[in-house]
Amino acid sequence: MVKKVFIVGATGRVGSQAALDLAERGVEVYAGGRALDRLPKHENITPIALDLAQASVNELAEKFQGMDSILFTAGSRGKDLLRIDAFGAVKAMQAAEKSGVNRFVLLSSMYVLQPEKWQEEPLKSADLEEFNIAKFFADHYLMDSTNLNYTILQPTGLTETPYTGKITTEYTNTTQYKNSIPDVAMTLAEIILHPEWTSRRVIMMTGGDTPIIEAIAQ
Ligand SMILES: NC(=O)c1ccc[n+]([C@@H]2O[C@H](COP(=O)([O-])OP(=O)(O)OC[C@H]3O[C@@H](n4cnc5c(N)ncnc54)[C@H](OP(=O)(O)O)[C@@H]3O)[C@@H](O)[C@H]2O)c1
């Protein structure tokens, strides 16, 4: 039973919605962010000051004590890719291990683990190579250099469109390379709530026709 979840990046578009979705499901959410006033408000959400650029692994490990899962949704929007998107994620993973939290869910991105796809559409035109490289190392560190029980979610482009509750976990030639932020947030919440289906998996996602819960159970 997942009772306590720490979210790194809880002021973000995805992180804040995932915090609310989990809080609504009765999870105690510890919402980490730099600006406490921008963290989502809910009776089940506890705000925690956290600057990933400054925090040491030991400081992060103290904050993670007693959690059932860590959800990492932070990112620098291309401004500090090494320090936040890559090494910030690695520090959070090391801190999870240090504090005895075994479960780690990482928000990643489309084809991060397939560099051969980066020069093909739709990524070719998106100018995302440095972002993809940073995330490549974060994803690989989680899978290859930790013993954490991980799930990596790799959505396509994030859009500020309404919740649909339906996704697909394949990218095909007919796929639209877009998913709504509330759908990505709810998919992360369901992944957190269902380790029995999602442990040690890399899950691709984009907008689709399958209810989220069915899609991640496959
Ligand atoms: N954009 C896309 O189309 C796309 C597609 C696929 C995957 N993704 C992935 O999804 C992630 C989340 O997207 P989003 O739209 O929710 O991003 P966002 O709104 O920019 O949120 C990023 C979060 O990271 C936090 N952060 C940045 N630097 C930090 C620091 N030094 N210490 C602590 N927190 C820090 C931000 O905190 P502040 O509020 O304090 O800045 C914010 O909470 C992206 O980073 C990317 O990895 C994005």
Side-chain angles (χ1 to χ4, degrees):
M1 180 86 176
V2 180
K3 289 188 186 149
K4 292 186 179 189
V5 175
F6 194 107
I7 301 183
V8 182
T11 53
R13 295 185 303 170
V14 177
S16 59
Q17 186 58 52
L20 289 167
D21 291 343
L22 286 165
E24 276 296 306
R25 305 280 283 272
V27 174
E28 280 177 52
V29 175
Y30 293 79
R34 290 185 289 190
L36 294 183
D37 57 325
R38 286 194 287 107
L39 287 165
K41 290 172 185 54
H42 188 283
E43 59 181 356
N44 290 340
I45 297 181
T46 304
I48 308 279
L50 168 62
D51 184 343
L52 207 48
Q54 307 297 330
S56 67
V57 172
N58 282 341
E59 286 162 354
L60 288 169
E62 262 178 46
K63 295 180 196 293
F64 293 172
Q65 285 290 338
M67 298 295 139
D68 296 309
S69 305
I70 308 300
L71 172 59
F72 187 97
T73 60
S76 68
R77 296 195 172 205
K79 294 190 190 113
D80 207 356
L81 288 168
L82 283 179
R83 191 172 287 109
I84 303 304
D85 304 60
F87 195 57
V90 167
K91 285 195 298 185
M93 294 167 204
Q94 292 176 336
E97 290 205 299
K98 196 159 199 156
S99 59
V101 181
N102 178 246
R103 177 93 171 118
F104 198 103
V105 178
L106 176 63
L107 177 57
S108 179
S109 190
M110 179 184 192
Y111 288 141
V112 153
L113 292 168
Q114 281 92 21
E116 66 280 9
K117 302 279 193 189
W118 299 352
Q119 295 308 324
E120 293 173 14
E121 296 301 348
L123 289 180
K124 187 177 171 195
S125 315
D127 193 21
L128 284 172
E129 190 173 5
E130 293 198 356
F131 167 79
N132 286 330
I133 292 170
K135 298 294 276 183
F136 173 90
F137 285 109
D139 285 21
H140 264 300
Y141 191 91
L142 181 55
M143 292 188 298
D144 304 337
S145 300
T146 76
N147 288 317
L148 293 164
N149 178 354
Y150 65 82
T151 306
I152 296 173
L153 183 68
Q154 298 184 328
T156 57
L158 303 178
T159 58
E160 294 186 12
T161 48
Y163 177 68
T164 71
K166 292 185 179 173
I167 65 169
T168 175
T169 54
E170 290 171 332
Y171 316 133
T172 64
N173 289 340
T174 52
T175 298
Q176 274 209 348
Y177 297 110
K178 290 177 190 164
N179 21 221
S180 85
I181 287 169
D183 285 338
V184 175
M186 185 60 84
T187 304
L188 288 168
E190 296 291 5
I191 286 170
I192 293 271
L193 293 168
H194 294 287
E196 73 279 14
W197 296 332
T198 59
S199 288
R200 298 191 177 272
R201 286 180 60 196
V202 177
I203 300 177
M204 297 174 172
M205 82 165 276
T206 193
D209 298 322
T210 309
I212 289 170
I213 196 90
E214 276 178 39
I216 64 163
Q218 285 166 6

